[in-house]
Amino acid sequence: MVMIIPENYKCELGVLETQKAIKNLKDFFQSELSKELSLLRVSSPLFVLPETGTNDNLSGVETPVSFVVPFMNKKAEIVQSLAKWKRMAIKRYNIPVYEGIYADMNAIRKDEELDNLHSLYVDQWDWEYHIKKEDRTYEKLVWIVEKIYEVFKRADRYIVSIYPQFTPLLPDKITFVTSQDLENEWPNLTPKEREKAIVKRHKAVFLIGIGGVLESGEKHDGRSPDYDDWELNGDILFWFEHLNCALEISSMGIRVDEKAMEKQLKIANAEDRKKLPFHKSLLSGELPYTIGGGIGQSRLCMLLLNKAHVGEVQSSVWPQDMIDACKKNRMILL
């Protein structure tokens, strides 16, 4: 575990004021996101049955928390995200084209390495937007990202209007760049170092194309093969001055169609998933075409409320030495 203590760190808001600010910011952001993309808030599961194929495999190495449901004698898994579940919900709720849904997703990622940005507890807005097949384009991806970025900017201005001691953080425009562009410019840097370099330059970046192999034969990062199209997905990254790093605040993308699913399952050596209910439905053309993603609630609060540790904006479990170090340096963990 590596924790960073920013030099001369000053907590602008006390614990009670922080709790009020968290509520204000979350209420504002989800309301604006809902209006911007015509999203309906829906209830979502905390756990699913793995045999449905609806849990998110993330990069493929994380192990979901599971437990046995006694009356069924079946294993249930805590969700790692709602990427697949939402697509099925779009169909089940008969959501019209160019409208969508969002939900509060809470999860446990027990394999996380704890530091300023990573917790065992995950809270995000999981959203999904119904599109037509012909909308599965780069242009549609850019359009959606720009609309979401407008919500981030409005939230930035909203917080400054309440807390004038803060200053606006986000630039007027978000910059679009591909993972291959980054490899071409900085072939000798690691993917995370490339992200840091590009985001430090532009402050707000949408990094396109994550999961597939680059020209070097390496991946920029891992992505599960069965929800995002690796050519039409990406991460929203903001510059985070406290930690001198790129802050990933959202992972999103146009979802796989039948052809992309077949291709990516083969590349990932995961063709055995075809027999699962979610994958069978998708491959048979029964599911709607969508774009969707997750937006980190705690990370948004960290960024806009000027906090240096995720534990300052969420309650979780931390090792005692981290708690002591934070307290010593005026980082008050909730």
Side-chain angles (χ1 to χ4, degrees):
M1 291 175 288
V2 179
M3 189 179 73
I4 297 173
I5 304 294
E7 189 175 353
N8 300 318
Y9 178 69
K10 180 183 177 182
C11 184
E12 300 281 353
L13 304 175
V15 174
L16 182 58
E17 195 61 38
T18 294
Q19 293 283 21
K20 294 177 181 177
I22 290 170
K23 182 181 187 304
N24 287 336
L25 176 53
K26 288 186 176 184
D27 287 350
F28 179 88
F29 189 91
Q30 67 183 355
S31 174
E32 292 297 307
L33 181 68
S34 174
K35 288 187 290 187
E36 189 70 31
L37 294 180
S38 299
L39 304 179
L40 171 70
R41 188 190 184 282
V42 298
S43 298
S44 63
L46 177 60
F47 42 84
V48 295
L49 299 176
E51 59 265 29
T52 63
T54 52
N55 207 355
D56 186 350
N57 298 94
L58 301 175
S59 64
V61 298
E62 299 86 353
T63 305
V65 174
S66 65
F67 61 95
V68 174
V69 182
F71 65 88
M72 299 174 68
N73 197 29
K74 285 188 174 184
K75 183 177 76 170
E77 293 179 348
I78 303 295
V79 296
Q80 298 200 106
S81 91
L82 299 173
K84 300 170 192 170
W85 178 87
K86 290 177 299 180
R87 191 165 178 181
M88 298 181 76
I90 291 283
K91 177 185 178 182
R92 187 163 62 249
Y93 302 154
N94 197 29
I95 301 296
V97 173
Y98 304 140
E99 295 182 22
I101 60 174
Y102 79 96
D104 282 290
M105 192 283 288
N106 297 284
I108 302 169
R109 294 186 183 166
K110 67 180 184 63
D111 297 321
E112 288 286 13
E113 195 168 323
L114 305 185
D115 56 24
N116 296 66
L117 297 176
H118 296 91
S119 169
L120 301 179
Y121 169 64
V122 177
D123 57 342
Q124 66 182 32
W125 290 288
D126 248 313
W127 61 275
E128 202 78 10
Y129 183 77
H130 191 178
I131 59 175
K132 298 178 181 178
K133 185 166 187 176
E134 56 264 35
D135 294 319
R136 299 185 72 260
T137 63
Y138 172 84
E139 290 74 22
K140 192 68 171 182
L141 178 64
V142 168
W143 180 80
I144 287 281
V145 171
E146 289 180 336
K147 288 181 77 67
I148 293 173
Y149 187 63
E150 286 300 315
V151 178
F152 279 115
K153 289 199 301 179
R154 291 202 291 271
D156 191 15
R157 294 192 296 268
Y158 170 71
I159 287 299
V160 173
S161 73
I162 299 176
Y163 304 103
Q165 64 268 43
F166 295 153
T167 56
L169 298 173
L170 302 180
D172 186 53
K173 299 290 184 182
I174 188 168
T175 298
F176 292 84
V177 64
T178 70
S179 54
Q180 188 59 60
D181 292 334
L182 296 194
E183 183 180 71
N184 293 345
E185 184 166 359
W186 294 291
N188 297 320
L189 298 184
T190 68
K192 289 302 177 185
E193 289 170 341
R194 295 170 196 155
E195 289 182 6
K196 179 178 177 179
I198 195 68
V199 179
K200 189 169 186 177
R201 179 189 295 169
H202 295 290
K203 309 307 179 188
V205 169
F206 186 69
L207 178 59
I208 302 171
I210 300 175
V213 175
L214 302 173
E215 291 176 3
S216 65
E218 302 293 327
K219 295 180 180 180
H220 180 83
D221 200 357
R223 283 291 188 275
S224 186
D226 46 11
Y227 57 94
D228 280 351
D229 187 318
W230 292 341
E231 296 180 2
L232 293 169
N233 70 350
D235 290 341
I236 296 177
L237 305 165
F238 295 145
W239 182 247
F240 194 43
E241 191 66 37
H242 270 319
L243 304 182
N244 190 38
C245 74
L247 179 69
E248 179 194 322
I249 209 160
S250 177
S251 176
M252 57 171 286
I254 291 176
R255 306 310 196 184
V256 289
D257 61 3
E258 301 85 341
K259 184 177 178 181
M261 167 82 91
E262 286 273 10
K263 176 184 176 181
Q264 292 180 184
L265 286 177
K266 185 174 182 179
I267 291 172
N269 195 28
E271 292 181 284
D272 58 315
R273 297 185 194 177
K274 290 181 182 181
K275 65 180 182 293
L276 298 173
F278 170 82
H279 301 72
K280 288 171 67 175
S281 294
L282 195 152
L283 290 170
S284 61
E286 297 174 8
L287 295 183
Y289 300 103
T290 62
I291 179 172
I295 298 171
Q297 296 184 17
S298 289
R299 289 195 175 184
L300 174 68
C301 291
M302 282 186 71
L303 179 73
L304 298 189
L305 301 182
N306 201 29
K307 303 291 189 177
H309 193 290
V310 65
E312 295 181 272
V313 294
Q314 64 159 239
S315 295
S316 188
V317 174
W318 311 100
Q320 190 60 47
D321 59 346
M322 183 179 284
I323 295 172
D324 294 341
C326 286
K327 185 177 182 180
K328 181 179 178 181
N329 290 278
R330 301 179 300 279
M331 298 161 66
I332 309 304
L333 305 186
L334 303 180

